[in-house]
Amino acid sequence: MHTVVVGTSGVTASDVLAVARDGARIELSGEAVAALAAAREIVDALAAKPEPVYGVSTGFGALATRHISPELRAQLQRNIVRSHAAGLGPRVEREVVRALMFLRLKTVCSGHTGVRPEVAQTMADVLNAGITPVVYEFGSLGCSGDLAPLSHCALTLMGEGDAEGPDGTVRPAGELLAAHGIAPVELREKEGLALLNGTDGMLGMLIMALADLDRLYKSADITAALSLEALLGTDKVLAPELHAIRPHPGQGASAANMLAVLKGSELTGHHQDDAPRVQDAYSVRCAPQVAGAGRDTMAHARTVAERELASAVDNPVVLPDGRVESNGNFHGAPVAYVLDFLAIAAADLASIAERRTDRLLDKNRSHGLPPFLADDAGVDSGLMIAQYTQAALVSELKRLAVPASADSIPSSAMQEDHVSMGWSAARKLRTAVDNLARVVAVEMYAATRAIELREGLTPAPASQAAITAARAAGVQGPGPDRFLAPDLAAADAFVRDGRLVAAVEGVTGPLQ
């Protein structure tokens, strides 16, 4: 099994995906253990002084003015975890919780938090054992960290609350720890606070969304090319020299992908022989511009994610010169903004895909295709209601594109009077990504059927590879009406798990 070694300088996006989705094991580097021990010595020295230090010998948030005596500090750390583990709603997905815990461990290992090495090792042991704390949907405002979600994770380290074992069964966390030979931690000064203060949940969801969107944007380039082909459109608008004079990188990449898919097609431009068109509709002609803008938005989001991965987000933090200073680095605004940007881009990509699907089904705009791609129009309804489903998904995506980060709601007796709502932005982006996959799948389903209805014209080799792979995956082709939901579910799975991209890349080579 792949092993991820956590040091002091952060981790990579591929590390996060390996731990969250693939169950990679975790090891702490010797450098990280040394940094943890050195920072802990600083915290212990400050804890022994009579002067109050925030997070070490004081209360938290609006209660930070109270100096806590030494005999109450362990109780204070337990209490902050217990009281902050106040989530409600549906359970959060296992991969999100694993990403959340792993990213908190990443910051702990930076040597800026003052957490003892044994606490960090317990975090790694819990992840390696496949134990997943039960975390709930609601409880984070994206400021002062993803407080409630991280608190539920810290509760598991203490042997309290509920967690899911590697077999998928939810049990008391103490029982699961004992079953795997893991001793619960007894938190000391600063440690409770250090386990709760981070942007880890929203960052983990951003990294996973970027991985999923990378595949979906390639898929959308493919389905746009299939639709262009089915509509007998022209590929001249994809010429590199046209995109070079408007040098947005994403636009050029999307155009190049479409051109690669269409290479060798007998369908493109066919309309110029018998049904002249000056130009194709925007949804066809401007596909690279829309998908490209989304790709460039992803590039910006990836830059933000990389910076956040290299960060040590905690409050207070232990600095190399021995100071322990309060700060505002836990504010989620940088991550929240790009999560919202991506939801907007996903909605627009889905919107243009739906417009192409509708064009394929409309006999007045499809250039010779049967109404709704039906076998016997009137007796058969064809894909009429598949487009309804796609339209419903697009409408939902537009609602999900409303930014969460434009909102703020004060908390903690006005101490935390401006928050990012980044967790909420991340949660709705996950739904948006799921819905985008479904929308792209419906376009793929319609476009492949339409191409097969163009008798006498041979599609591009890459298009044919996509059609052949889709049919092998249970996505059926033209014919009389049948129970459509299973076909659409098969198309969704075919797009979502990357088989569409793999089939095409088998002909074109790697797409951009």
Side-chain angles (χ1 to χ4, degrees):
M1 182 180 290
H2 177 60
T3 298
V4 172
V5 179
V6 183
T8 60
S9 57
V11 296
T12 66
S14 60
D15 291 335
V16 177
L17 294 170
V19 172
R21 290 182 162 172
D22 302 330
R25 292 188 61 80
I26 301 160
E27 291 181 4
L28 309 186
S29 72
E31 176 193 32
V33 172
L36 284 159
R40 186 65 209 180
E41 287 181 5
I42 294 170
V43 170
D44 286 342
L46 289 171
K49 292 184 176 182
E51 298 85 11
V53 177
Y54 176 67
V56 176
S57 52
T58 71
F60 309 116
L63 304 176
T65 55
R66 179 177 172 182
H67 183 244
I68 307 299
S69 59
E71 65 273 13
L72 294 176
R73 290 176 190 168
Q75 181 181 340
L76 170 68
Q77 300 303 317
R78 287 194 301 272
N79 286 351
I80 190 175
V81 173
R82 289 168 175 165
S83 65
H84 285 44
L88 280 174
R91 280 183 58 191
V92 172
E93 303 85 357
R94 182 176 185 269
E95 66 177 14
V96 173
V97 179
R98 285 184 62 83
L100 173 77
M101 287 189 70
F102 176 63
L103 287 166
R104 183 75 323 227
L105 176 61
K106 176 268 300 182
T107 283
V108 164
C109 287
S110 69
H112 290 292
T113 68
V115 169
R116 288 169 295 152
E118 50 264 44
V119 175
Q121 185 59 56
T122 301
M123 296 172 75
D125 291 343
V126 167
L127 284 165
N128 288 340
I131 297 171
T132 307
V134 171
V135 173
Y136 299 101
E137 179 85 14
F138 301 103
S140 173
L141 300 179
C143 205
S144 288
D146 290 318
L147 286 175
L150 283 164
S151 297
H152 283 278
C153 294
L155 202 65
T156 294
L157 300 179
M158 292 165 48
E160 300 182 16
D162 292 327
E164 180 185 297
D167 63 354
T169 302
V170 174
R171 297 168 56 189
E175 291 181 11
L176 281 169
L177 294 185
H180 289 84
I182 301 171
V185 297
E186 179 71 30
L187 299 176
R188 289 169 46 180
E189 291 93 345
K190 182 148 183 341
E191 290 180 333
L193 190 60
L195 295 176
L196 315 186
N197 243 315
T199 57
D200 308 296
M202 62 184 94
L203 175 59
M205 286 185 275
L206 171 60
I207 289 165
M208 288 185 283
L210 284 168
D212 295 339
L213 286 168
D214 183 67
R215 181 173 58 253
L216 287 177
Y217 268 80
K218 290 177 184 176
S219 300
D221 289 341
I222 293 168
T223 59
L226 293 171
S227 291
L228 183 152
E229 203 170 14
L231 290 166
L232 306 178
T234 177
D235 59 0
K236 290 182 178 180
V237 295
L238 304 174
E241 57 269 27
L242 290 174
H243 298 279
I245 61 175
R246 194 190 190 196
H248 292 287
Q251 176 180 322
S254 288
N257 285 347
M258 290 181 65
L259 205 56
V261 174
L262 294 169
K263 185 177 180 181
S265 175
E266 292 183 4
L267 280 79
T268 55
H270 186 78
H271 67 273
Q272 294 171 351
D273 299 329
D274 56 8
R277 269 178 277 162
V278 175
Q279 54 192 6
D280 292 312
Y282 282 11
S283 60
V284 177
R285 184 171 18 129
C286 301
Q289 284 76 10
V290 173
R295 285 172 171 272
D296 290 343
T297 300
M298 287 171 59
H300 171 59
R302 196 170 285 112
T303 297
V304 172
E306 288 169 354
R307 290 170 181 163
E308 199 74 1
L309 283 169
S311 302
V313 177
D314 192 17
N315 180 46
V317 291
V318 181
L319 296 174
D321 61 7
R323 287 180 295 146
V324 175
E325 295 286 359
S326 181
N327 67 91
N329 284 341
F330 49 73
H331 199 288
V335 182
Y337 290 172
V338 294
L339 289 162
D340 280 332
F341 295 165
L342 290 173
I344 292 169
D348 201 34
L349 186 65
S351 180
I352 197 171
E354 183 274 331
R355 287 293 81 205
R356 290 190 295 265
T357 304
D358 183 65
R359 184 167 290 271
L360 288 166
L361 305 188
D362 183 353
K363 69 181 182 65
N364 296 311
R365 295 179 290 142
S366 65
H367 307 286
L369 290 168
F372 303 106
L373 305 181
D375 186 61
D376 184 4
V379 174
D380 294 312
S381 294
L383 304 190
M384 179 191 296
I385 307 305
Q387 185 269 330
Y388 281 37
T389 299
Q390 193 186 40
L393 288 162
V394 171
S395 185
E396 178 67 12
L397 276 155
K398 292 174 182 177
R399 288 190 288 271
L400 292 166
V402 176
S405 58
D407 186 28
S408 177
I409 188 165
S411 56
S412 192
M414 294 300 286
Q415 176 73 3
E416 298 169 10
D417 59 351
H418 184 275
V419 296
S420 78
M421 302 307 297
W423 173 273
S424 299
R427 296 304 296 165
K428 69 184 183 66
L429 177 60
R430 282 181 70 83
T431 304
V433 171
D434 279 346
N435 286 348
L436 174 61
R438 296 178 180 116
V439 170
V440 172
V442 174
E443 183 183 15
M444 185 276 299
Y445 186 64
T448 54
R449 177 183 283 210
I451 288 172
E452 289 184 303
L453 291 171
R454 294 290 189 189
E455 296 178 0
L457 295 171
T458 303
S463 301
Q464 187 58 59
I467 294 169
T468 301
R471 302 296 172 254
V475 183
Q476 297 188 51
D481 281 356
R482 54 184 172 266
F483 180 24
L484 203 54
D487 270 15
L488 297 181
D492 180 29
F494 182 66
V495 168
R496 192 180 299 270
D497 65 17
R499 282 176 287 168
L500 172 62
V501 173
V504 168
E505 289 186 331
V507 176
T508 64
L511 297 176
Q512 299 183 45

